[in-house]
Amino acid sequence: MAAHTKIKSGKGYNVAFTTFGVIWLIVSFYPVLYILMSSLRTQDGFLSGGPTWLPTLHPTFSNYAAVFQSGFGHYFLNSLIVSVVSVVFIVLFSLLLAYVIVRTKNRAVKIIFNVFLVGLALPIQAAIIPVYILITKLGMYDTLGGIIFPSIAFGIPMTLLFLVNFVREIPNELYESMGLEGASDFQMLRHLVTPLTMPSIISIAIYQFILAWNNFLFPLVLTQSDSVKVMPLAVVQFQGDHTMNIPITMAAVTVSALPLLLAYIFGGRYIRRGMMAGFGK
Amino acid sequence: MNWQRWIMVIPALVFFAIFAIIPMCVAVYYTGLNWDGLTPPTWAGLSNWVQVFQNGEAWQSTRLTIELMVLCWITQNPISLVLGVFMAGKQKHRAVFGVFYFIPLLFSAAAIGVTWSYILNPNFGLVDSLLTALGVKQPVNWLGSPHLALISVSLVIAWQFIPFNSLLYQGGAKQIPESIYEAAKIDGAGPFRTFFSITLPQLKYTIVTSSVLILTGTLTYFDLIYVLTSGGPGTSTQVLAMDMYKQAFMNNNIGMGSVMAIILAVFGLILSLLILKFTGFNNMESQKEGA
């Protein structure tokens, strides 16, 4: 900021901004590079192989092999099941309700919508103790379903708000003309609303997938066994088991973010739109 | 309303009621219990409330939560604004920068916590090695010092979320009409003047959006703190969410944990009500035409 107060030309202004942009590029991306670089070192190489902030001259994939041998393939699958099932139901339930909220003008529906809007303001942590007791009483403690059920519930408010905004934009004439042909609500939802809002459905689904994949609190509180462990929890416990073995832990970190990183490489624009989707149009 | 519409309402409503609304209400009841979660509970009345407020724990966690909010706002908002305005420019390289800025958002808080606990380690961490290379001899105990820990936590949060907020600002800055800048140029306004008289006021809705997200987000930063410091050293990073977790799931004190949970929920509600009242956040949709 100080730099461009001195330089009064438009060019100087740009130079100052670009400098700032480059500095943040380093701050932002260098730790990510550090994770990747470290994951390719050996433990000995990390401790004695010269400066750790440069790439190693002898990269090795042995850390990744070790990470997968310690069960990450299984945790990966658990995360995938939890995320996909949660997202499918979050989006399905929210879309159904969004349709009713847009199409029905009565008090009950208005109250229901307001309940979800208030729900947006309530932190998950505030409900986690009773959720834990409830899941235990339902016999779902330490199961993937025990993570999925509350995840669906807490994913709905944001998704609903987002979808309501988009379903609202569908012109009333389209409903009316379909209504004249005798279409039911389910038919309108299927043949009119879903195709027209598909881009927003995909965006919010991506956003919810990232949240579900990275969720930590529900698995931490609601599971304990290895067989139902999900990625974020696996990474933290892996670090505990391999204290001070940085390269292997960094490989575990990379594996935990792998699907999102790969997806970002191939469809970055959609992911960014999806992440932004949760907030403002 | 016909039966088809009721069928459409029911799944979302039932899930939300069972796993969110009812638990939220039950939490209020739990605050009155002496309970370890296993043996039968006994009724404790208001004693849990009296205890956390009298020994100062509730005040302390609330104060730390507010401190973290302020730290997060100070670190994230100005930098995001400048970055966002930078990215809104037309040059191609700016778009490429944005692609790289985004990557920290893909990592889970758990992965970031694990990574940064190494990066900030005072003995062999990356930051320490870089400081040593720059000639700073004294290692800094980023996470282990009570004075620095909360600041360090806020910096790690900033690292992850500045890219997100800068994307918001990029969107806002792109909507400022070029004609205003041209008019300012004709009037002879310098870049400094242009930034403060045009860019900044035009971004006021974005500043509100970004601030709201930072403040409400800070309330729920639990996973990162759990991994980085577990609330320590001492209680120096024991924000409300952390305190709740410790009481309920580490000390097995459901009643006390629920007290912290209710404070957290009330805090969240007050925050959103204040935001609604004082900023007209619900008028946000006007930001497009207001540009």
Side-chain angles (χ1 to χ4, degrees):
Chain A
M1 295 283 280
H4 74 257
T5 63
K6 279 182 224 150
I7 314 160
K8 285 262 171 182
S9 75
K11 216 177 172 186
Y13 185 72
N14 271 332
V15 167
F17 267 98
T18 306
T19 311
F20 198 82
V22 171
I23 291 172
W24 191 263
L25 185 69
I26 296 166
V27 172
S28 178
F29 191 59
Y30 183 68
V32 177
L33 266 185
Y34 176 78
I35 296 173
L36 297 176
M37 290 181 329
S38 308
S39 74
L40 298 174
R41 288 175 192 277
T42 60
Q43 164 76 341
D44 292 344
F46 190 87
L47 294 174
S48 58
T52 55
W53 59 82
L54 295 171
T56 172
L57 294 172
H58 312 287
T60 166
F61 282 94
S62 60
N63 293 319
Y64 287 91
V67 164
F68 275 105
Q69 266 162 22
S70 68
F72 266 65
H74 183 69
Y75 310 146
F76 196 96
L77 195 66
N78 285 341
S79 274
L80 201 64
I81 295 169
V82 168
S83 309
V84 170
V85 176
S86 304
V87 171
V88 166
F89 285 105
I90 289 170
V91 172
L92 177 68
F93 293 171
S94 304
L95 185 66
L96 289 169
L97 183 53
Y99 172 84
V100 178
I101 286 169
V102 172
R103 298 270 292 145
T104 317
K105 304 271 170 275
N106 74 25
R107 261 182 65 115
V109 171
K110 207 168 176 180
I111 291 169
I112 290 171
F113 190 36
N114 281 328
V115 167
F116 281 95
L117 288 183
V118 173
L120 215 50
L122 291 169
I124 292 177
Q125 287 92 342
I128 191 67
I129 298 170
V131 165
Y132 161 76
I133 309 269
L134 175 68
I135 290 288
T136 310
K137 291 220 164 116
L138 290 173
M140 290 171 82
Y141 180 76
D142 213 18
T143 65
L144 291 182
I147 307 175
I148 291 171
F149 277 56
S151 298
I152 294 173
F154 280 92
I156 291 174
M158 171 76 80
T159 314
L160 178 70
L161 181 67
F162 181 76
L163 288 177
V164 162
N165 275 331
F166 282 94
V167 175
R168 255 187 198 142
E169 281 172 15
I170 298 172
N172 218 0
E173 295 81 54
L174 293 177
Y175 292 115
E176 280 164 12
S177 65
M178 272 192 89
L180 287 176
E181 288 165 30
S184 69
D185 280 318
F186 282 113
Q187 283 166 330
M188 287 196 194
L189 190 67
R190 203 170 140 215
H191 299 293
L192 179 67
V193 178
T194 310
L196 284 179
T197 51
M198 202 32 110
S200 10
I201 291 175
I202 292 171
S203 295
I204 195 75
I206 290 173
Y207 174 71
Q208 293 293 346
F209 184 88
I210 294 173
L211 289 190
W213 185 269
N214 288 337
N215 189 4
F216 185 75
L217 183 68
F218 285 151
L220 176 72
V221 172
L222 303 173
T223 66
Q224 60 175 3
S225 308
D226 235 28
S227 59
V228 290
K229 203 186 279 177
V230 293
M231 291 301 249
L233 217 53
V235 170
V236 172
Q237 287 176 9
F238 195 81
Q239 180 202 29
D241 296 342
H242 297 81
T243 324
M244 300 302 128
N245 190 339
I246 298 179
I248 203 167
T249 311
M250 290 300 114
V253 165
T254 309
V255 171
S256 79
L258 208 58
L260 303 182
L261 286 172
L262 282 177
Y264 190 58
I265 291 168
F266 293 110
R269 201 185 300 165
Y270 299 99
I271 297 212
R272 281 204 282 174
R273 206 183 294 156
M275 272 294 275
M276 297 295 293
F279 310 97
K281 279 201 259 178
Chain B
M1 208 159 92
N2 64 37
W3 61 270
Q4 286 190 346
R5 291 193 182 172
W6 279 114
I7 289 175
M8 291 172 165
V9 170
I10 284 166
L13 196 60
V14 165
F15 262 80
F16 196 61
I18 293 179
F19 292 100
I21 299 291
I22 296 172
M24 215 74 81
C25 303
V26 171
V28 179
Y29 164 70
Y30 283 173
T31 63
L33 298 181
N34 257 331
W35 193 22
D36 59 6
L38 299 166
T39 52
T42 56
W43 184 248
L46 288 175
S47 67
N48 287 325
W49 286 94
V50 173
Q51 210 177 323
V52 280
F53 277 98
Q54 258 176 5
N55 71 15
E57 192 175 332
W59 303 118
Q60 148 103 356
S61 310
T62 308
R63 203 199 70 222
L64 283 173
T65 307
I66 295 171
E67 270 181 37
L68 186 63
M69 281 179 171
V70 173
L71 282 170
C72 282
W73 194 88
I74 292 175
T75 48
Q76 289 178 46
N77 228 328
I79 298 177
S80 308
L81 197 149
V82 176
L83 278 179
V85 173
F86 160 70
M87 289 198 306
K90 283 192 188 72
Q91 295 91 331
K92 259 247 150 93
H93 68 268
R94 300 182 178 207
V96 177
F97 280 25
V99 170
F100 284 98
Y101 290 160
F102 192 85
I103 295 172
L105 285 163
L106 300 171
F107 289 88
S108 66
I112 287 174
V114 166
T115 304
W116 280 86
S117 68
Y118 285 143
I119 292 179
L120 295 175
N121 187 294
N123 299 315
F124 53 79
L126 176 66
V127 171
D128 190 58
S129 327
L130 291 175
L131 285 178
T132 313
L134 288 171
V136 182
K137 293 284 186 302
Q138 202 76 336
V140 182
N141 199 352
W142 298 98
L143 297 166
S145 132
H147 303 290
L148 268 181
L150 197 69
I151 295 173
S152 305
V153 166
S154 74
L155 292 177
V156 178
I157 296 172
W159 177 78
Q160 189 180 22
F161 287 102
I162 282 175
F164 174 76
N165 286 291
S166 68
L167 279 169
L168 287 179
Y169 281 110
Q170 182 189 13
K174 271 191 173 157
Q175 282 173 13
I176 304 173
E178 200 63 36
S179 55
I180 306 186
Y181 285 112
E182 278 157 18
K185 214 173 183 181
I186 292 165
D187 291 344
F192 185 66
R193 184 72 200 274
T194 310
F195 182 80
F196 283 97
S197 305
I198 296 171
T199 313
L200 210 53
Q202 287 282 330
L203 285 175
K204 64 173 189 264
Y205 287 119
T206 318
I207 294 172
V208 173
T209 312
S210 159
S211 305
V212 166
L213 293 174
I214 290 170
L215 296 182
T216 51
T218 310
L219 248 194
T220 56
Y221 288 144
F222 163 78
D223 15 20
L224 186 76
I225 295 173
Y226 176 89
V227 178
L228 268 183
T229 65
S230 281
T235 54
S236 58
T237 55
Q238 193 160 299
V239 291
L240 281 167
M242 193 64 226
D243 203 354
M244 179 279 300
Y245 179 82
K246 267 194 179 167
Q247 288 286 8
F249 299 106
M250 287 161 91
N251 304 343
N252 295 322
N253 194 335
I254 300 288
M256 295 284 264
S258 298
V259 171
M260 304 322 280
I262 296 302
I263 297 174
L264 194 63
V266 170
F267 205 160
L269 277 177
I270 292 176
L271 196 63
S272 2
L273 286 176
L274 285 178
I275 288 162
L276 274 177
K277 194 166 163 79
F278 290 108
T279 63
F281 189 61
N282 43 353
N283 302 331
M284 291 305 287
E285 278 158 77
S286 62
Q287 61 176 305
K288 271 184 195 157
E289 61 225 275

